[in-house]
Amino acid sequence: MIRCKRWTALTIAVLTMSPVIAAAQSSMFAPDRVGHWYLGGGVGGYWEESNSQLRHQDGQFGGFFSGGYRLSRNIALEIDALSSYQRLDTPPGVPSSEGRSHLTSSGVGGVVKFILPLDRFELYAGGGAGVYRTSLWTKNSQFDSEADDTNVGYQGLLGVDYFLTRSFSIGMEYRKFKLDAKLDPAIPGKIDAGGDFLFATFRGHF
């Protein structure tokens, strides 16, 4: 009977203190990020859109680096540098002795993020646009005007951050990137140089 009373008292104490602890944790992390700048980045896998002109792609990866400002509890603005890389069979229109070529896309854009703070976790979704350059390379040379193209690209993103401390977080992020490129005569027609990214991310707030 005494043991039962002890467990009952402990249960009541835990249930009584839980809302207080949760409120303390929420107030400890969420307000610290509003009105502050942050820097972040990520690396991960990249899956390009289907293009009939490209053959046997591999070695695909991407990365980004960004700086942002937390306008409010639920909105942030970022300047974002995004890059992707892949290897592929050298197109027939490229005069090269190498059997493999390299296709890269990189550029800078602006992103708006909508954030749902949940104590140490933050869920977010967003999107933006920017200017990106797509280039076709071989091992021995870089093709200039005939294999480079600069265009406006668009992206949407979903992600989650987990705050290890008040000012540092790690997370995961998915991006859908849309970018058209025209690399005639090296690659005939228009290709979609965008694709899907899955990043492991980090961010530091100051």
Side-chain angles (χ1 to χ4, degrees):
M1 180 64 69
I2 295 176
R3 181 176 298 177
C4 181
K5 289 182 179 180
R6 286 178 179 175
W7 279 111
T8 301
L10 179 60
T11 301
I12 293 173
V14 171
L15 291 176
T16 302
M17 291 301 296
S18 293
V20 177
I21 295 171
Q25 289 179 335
S26 179
S27 62
M28 187 168 120
F29 286 92
D32 292 349
R33 301 185 281 274
V34 177
H36 289 270
W37 297 92
Y38 59 90
L39 296 174
V43 294
Y46 161 62
W47 297 267
E48 62 98 25
E49 297 291 349
S50 177
N51 293 285
S52 60
Q53 306 97 312
L54 308 182
R55 302 293 187 199
H56 303 117
Q57 299 97 313
D58 63 17
Q60 298 164 317
F61 69 90
F64 77 92
F65 183 79
S66 64
Y69 182 77
R70 187 70 168 263
L71 289 175
S72 70
R73 179 182 173 88
N74 302 111
I75 299 177
L77 300 179
E78 293 184 359
I79 298 296
D80 179 269
L82 177 66
S83 182
S84 66
Y85 168 87
Q86 61 180 313
R87 294 190 301 265
L88 66 156
D89 286 353
T90 299
V94 178
S96 171
S97 59
E98 295 293 326
R100 301 287 282 171
S101 294
H102 311 271
L103 188 67
T104 63
S105 294
S106 59
V108 177
V111 173
V112 179
K113 291 171 62 176
F114 301 94
I115 304 164
L116 177 62
L118 300 171
D119 190 21
R120 287 178 179 257
F121 287 94
E122 287 191 343
L123 308 179
Y124 61 87
V131 178
Y132 302 89
R133 182 181 184 184
T134 302
S135 299
L136 180 70
W137 296 65
T138 67
K139 185 176 181 180
N140 299 319
S141 63
Q142 178 186 6
F143 296 87
D144 295 321
S145 60
E146 65 177 0
D148 290 338
D149 190 32
T150 300
N151 213 334
V152 175
Y154 307 90
Q155 59 180 318
L157 51 91
L158 294 169
V160 58
D161 288 330
Y162 176 75
F163 280 81
L164 299 172
T165 69
R166 287 177 180 267
S167 58
F168 184 77
S169 68
I170 58 174
M172 298 292 292
E173 181 176 294
Y174 165 77
R175 295 197 187 198
K176 180 70 173 181
F177 183 47
K178 178 69 175 179
L179 175 65
D180 292 333
K182 193 171 178 62
L183 301 175
D184 287 332
I187 300 176
K190 183 170 64 176
I191 65 170
D192 189 340
D196 299 277
F197 297 85
L198 185 61
F199 293 127
T201 64
F202 69 93
R203 289 184 176 87
H205 298 247
F206 54 92

